[in-house]
Amino acid sequence: MDSSHVDENSGRGKCCTIIVTYNGAKWIENCISSLASSSFPTDVLIIDNGSTDNTLDIVERLPTSTQIVKTNENLGFGGANNIGMKLALKQGYDYFFLLNQDTWVEPDAIEFLIEGLTKNPEYGILSPIHMNGKGDAFDKNFEKFTQRNKFTSLPFDQANVEIHTSPIEVTFVNAAAWMLPRTCIQKVGVFHPLFHHYAEDNNYCHRVTYQGMKIGILKESIIYHDREYRNDSYSAKMDFDRETVKSLLNPNKNLTLVHSLLIAFAKIIEISTKIKFYKIPGFFGWAFFKFFVLRKRVKDFDGTRLYKFELQ
């Protein structure tokens, strides 16, 4: 890892940008090149989830000093980021910028985020504004998630962003670009391993607020997320698994068995509107059985694993 940034930052702390890669050859050069132009220098740590394209060949020929960890398998977003966060903690970083491979950043994006955390130490997560790959609108998922947050009489959308004062406190923002201070990871731990893909960021936000820290968006900081092309296939079973575990693991809600079952039943009804009619009876039976399997898995999980930062 390049240590030159310690002197450049003159006591402002060290930042490590952690990027999980998986067949990201289309974007990775643009992503890393944008980080090389950051006004607040950041080291780059790649956790590769077993790419089969030339992603790592591209990374290795770039002039930017980059540390690479090869998992040789797809550990998912949370599992790979956990390796990165634990390693960066061990190496003494103060700030951890979790960044998707299909993004790139404005030169001052990281500096704004770190200044925001310095001035507002009550925040555990700060996110930039997520624009789409063309830069002409909010990223669709970012817009969808921010619209779910409840703002006191102030709408939050592209047309009204200027009326807000940074940081804009939210209950959730997707983890395509999260800046976390060291204290957040030390209090909250790493991503929960019961999630493989999606909802691990929801769970992490639940745990951040449970620990008394805030989550916010810094409107001065801008990144671009090039994912308009993507059309992920829908899986009813994965949807039920993910949302049930997310509900069962929420530390802010002390759910009884009856309450948990009612939430699961509501999810079953919702999913039933998305699948073919003849599959509904079988899905009902599977989902009720799976609910109790997932509930036992959650109850049996050793929560201290989230706070063990040694590399395994």
Side-chain angles (χ1 to χ4, degrees), residues 21-262:
T21 55
Y22 179 73
N23 293 343
K26 178 179 178 180
W27 311 279
I28 196 62
E29 182 170 2
N30 196 24
C31 179
I32 293 178
S33 295
S34 72
L35 294 169
S37 299
S38 173
S39 59
F40 190 104
T42 177
D43 292 322
V44 180
L45 172 57
I46 299 288
I47 311 296
D48 186 73
N49 262 343
S51 293
T52 56
D53 66 358
N54 63 330
T55 296
L56 294 183
D57 293 334
I58 294 172
V59 173
E60 288 169 349
R61 68 172 171 77
L62 291 175
T64 306
S65 177
T66 304
Q67 185 177 14
I68 300 172
V69 175
K70 301 177 184 179
T71 68
N72 298 315
E73 59 178 316
N74 193 343
L75 299 178
F77 178 83
N81 265 304
N82 287 352
I83 292 174
M85 286 190 284
K86 289 179 180 182
L87 181 57
L89 275 168
K90 185 178 180 181
Q91 294 176 342
Y93 286 95
D94 306 289
Y95 300 100
F96 306 78
F97 191 34
L98 310 188
L99 188 65
N100 277 23
Q101 65 178 358
D102 54 357
T103 65
W104 62 96
V105 306
E106 285 286 342
D108 55 7
I110 290 175
E111 184 152 21
F112 275 128
L113 291 170
I114 290 177
E115 285 180 357
L117 288 175
T118 302
K119 294 176 181 177
N120 303 276
E122 69 274 20
Y123 279 83
I125 299 172
L126 278 186
S127 167
I129 296 286
H130 303 193
M131 301 299 290
N132 64 18
K134 295 179 181 178
D136 59 1
F138 278 1
D139 168 70
K140 287 183 178 179
N141 272 9
F142 177 78
E143 184 174 40
K144 177 179 71 175
F145 291 131
T146 53
Q147 286 177 351
R148 292 178 183 174
N149 287 283
K150 294 179 181 179
F151 301 94
T152 53
S153 72
L154 295 176
F156 182 79
D157 53 36
Q158 195 169 355
N160 293 289
V161 67
E162 290 304 321
I163 66 178
H164 289 271
T165 301
S166 287
I168 305 158
E169 186 177 357
V170 296
T171 55
F172 173 78
V173 60
N174 52 308
W178 277 4
M179 182 68 78
L180 301 92
R182 185 180 186 87
T183 51
C184 178
I185 300 176
Q186 289 173 329
K187 285 184 179 180
V188 179
V190 295
F191 286 109
H192 205 296
L194 290 185
F195 299 95
H196 184 263
H197 193 48
Y198 298 131
E200 61 277 291
D201 51 355
N202 298 88
N203 172 261
Y204 202 87
C205 286
H206 292 160
R207 288 156 51 205
V208 166
T209 56
Y210 181 75
Q211 292 289 345
M213 290 176 285
K214 295 181 179 181
I215 301 161
I217 296 169
L218 207 70
K219 67 181 184 181
E220 296 83 4
S221 179
I222 307 290
I223 63 108
Y224 304 90
H225 198 173
D226 183 23
R227 61 166 169 189
E228 301 298 315
Y229 69 94
R230 205 157 62 198
N231 184 23
D232 293 341
S233 59
Y234 178 75
S235 167
K237 291 185 175 180
M238 288 181 65
D239 188 9
F240 181 79
D241 277 7
R242 185 168 56 239
E243 293 303 308
T244 300
V245 173
K246 183 175 77 175
S247 174
L248 291 170
L249 282 172
N250 189 343
N252 299 301
K253 296 181 179 179
N254 187 18
L255 299 179
T256 64
L257 173 59
V258 172
H259 194 180
S260 298
L261 271 170
L262 289 173

